[in-house]
DNA sequence: TATGATACGGAGGACCCCGCCACTTAGCAA
DNA sequence: TTGCTAAGTGGCGGGGTCCTCCGTATCATA
């Protein structure tokens, strides 16, 4: 861990910084080769620090994901459980719609299987779980809705509105209220 | 049109047949090169008949899209407007979740702009439009929901459940009923 | 059958991801 | 301070894709 060499740490930081820009500019399938060039390192170095595109994306989004997890923890104590959940979902939607590639990363997360506990969607799911439980307990959430369902829906909205990010929040509103609630 | 040479027509059919298999197997980013190889034609020929991946995907999905458009026309006369709309959305969801790549194709459709009337999502939007209007008129649909919204939501569900297609129908149900309808 | 239009397909360029390998260098020990 | 060693590095080559150009084969017509 800390035994990592100083230059390695330096390169790690440089690559990550460039990767953030590139992913923001070109989405989840930004060119790793290009990231290496811009960062002034060899392509092998990028691959060493981040084995595979997934690893790089997770690192890029890690901070924001952590922020969302923290936000969820704060909201756990809110008086209105339903409002807390909705606010968190809104924050997630805004982020997923604005940060190109994050939604792709989330939908790909399911592939690795349950042993991979470190992936982004697992972190998020664990984080909302308490909010979901509280909202469900107070009747603020349909009974058969799981945390995973909500993440999937938000991810889907973000993916489908890739070219119209402004619509994302509105669509979330529709999903929450119901497109055609039973009368 | 009919002045197309016989060999060109033959190749078109061969390519389309192979493309259907390849897209079903590898999703929207199937290799055009590979399609050409399997079809026994040069890569330039594929490109000639289908300029760009979008064109190829549209051709591949064209028949099913047409079937959905026809289904919408049938359902326009149904007595229960809301049920008709929901049935059509269910059919669309099932198809989008089962046919790999179709959702990607739909979300990419928005890029070309309004002048391109031939694209899949425009066809579908035009087809559901009457169903949406009737459902809204009879109170079976939230007032501020457009046909495009519904397509976007279904597309999103399909994209987000790429690795768990079985969930798609259930999520559609949640969206219809509302995850957390106002009390 | 001869001929012009049409469609074909391979070569080649640009880009990408990935694995391998010889070289450099940071950080520790004497 | 001076070596030593392993971690870290970058470049090269292989395999793949997309795309364009252009000489050539093939079809339709007179």
């Amino acid at each position: 861990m800390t035994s990592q060499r100083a230059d390695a740490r330096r390169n790690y930081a440089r690559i990550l910084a460039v990767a953030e820009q590139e992913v923001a500019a070109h989405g989840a399938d930004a060119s790793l080769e290009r990231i290496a060039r811009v960062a002034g390192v060899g392509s092998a170095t990028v691959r060493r620090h981040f084995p595979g595109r997934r690893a790089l994306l997770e690192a890029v989004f890690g901070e924001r994901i952590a922020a969302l997890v923290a936000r969820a923890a704060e909201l756990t104590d809110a008086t209105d459980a339903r409002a807390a959940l909705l606010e968190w979902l809104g924050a997630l939607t805004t982020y997923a719609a604005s940060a190109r590639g994050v939604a792709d990363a989330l939908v790909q997360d399911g592939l690795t299987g349950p042993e991979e506990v470190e992936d982004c969607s697992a972190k998020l799911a664990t984080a909302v779980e308490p909010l979901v439980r509280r909202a469900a307990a107070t009747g603020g959430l349909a009974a058969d809705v799981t945390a995973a369902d909500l993440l999937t829906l938000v991810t889907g909205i973000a993916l489908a509105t890739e070219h119209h990010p402004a619509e994302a929040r509105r669509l979330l509103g529709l999903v929450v209220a119901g497109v055609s609630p039973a009368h």
Side-chain angles (χ1 to χ4, degrees), chain A:
Chain A
M1 266 310 156
T2 50
S3 69
Q4 200 176 214
R5 263 167 50 171
D7 54 345
R9 250 174 328 217
R10 222 181 3 251
N11 277 335
Y12 183 95
R14 289 174 61 86
I15 292 169
L16 193 54
V18 172
E20 283 172 11
Q21 298 175 353
E22 289 295 315
V23 169
H26 302 101
D29 46 1
S31 163
L32 303 184
E33 206 80 12
R34 187 177 151 78
I35 291 173
R37 264 199 311 273
V38 175
V41 301
S43 62
T45 301
V46 172
R47 294 182 13 73
R48 185 161 313 107
H49 284 292
F50 307 99
R53 160 168 277 111
R54 280 259 335 271
L56 181 61
L57 292 177
E58 275 183 19
V60 166
F61 301 130
E63 295 152 23
R64 292 301 295 265
I65 297 294
L68 284 166
V69 169
R71 187 92 190 88
E74 291 172 22
L75 288 167
T76 306
D77 301 329
T79 53
D80 186 342
R82 179 173 183 267
L85 177 60
L86 295 185
E87 181 183 334
W88 191 86
L89 288 177
L92 175 62
T93 302
T94 300
Y95 176 52
S98 68
R100 300 192 52 182
V102 68
D104 299 81
L106 288 176
V107 76
Q108 296 289 354
D109 262 4
L111 289 177
T112 52
E115 77 284 350
E116 177 83 17
V117 198
E118 288 302 310
D119 62 7
C120 294
S121 60
K123 283 181 191 165
L124 290 175
T126 306
V128 236
E129 186 61 41
L131 293 179
V132 169
R133 252 201 310 272
R134 281 193 60 210
T138 58
L141 189 67
D144 54 347
V145 177
T146 70
D149 290 338
L150 296 176
L151 289 183
T152 303
L153 287 173
V154 170
T155 303
I157 289 175
L159 287 174
T161 59
E162 189 176 353
H163 306 302
H164 313 282
E167 295 285 303
R169 286 301 289 258
R170 221 189 89 244
L171 290 176
L172 176 62
L174 294 182
V175 169
V176 169
V179 161
S180 171
H183 17 230

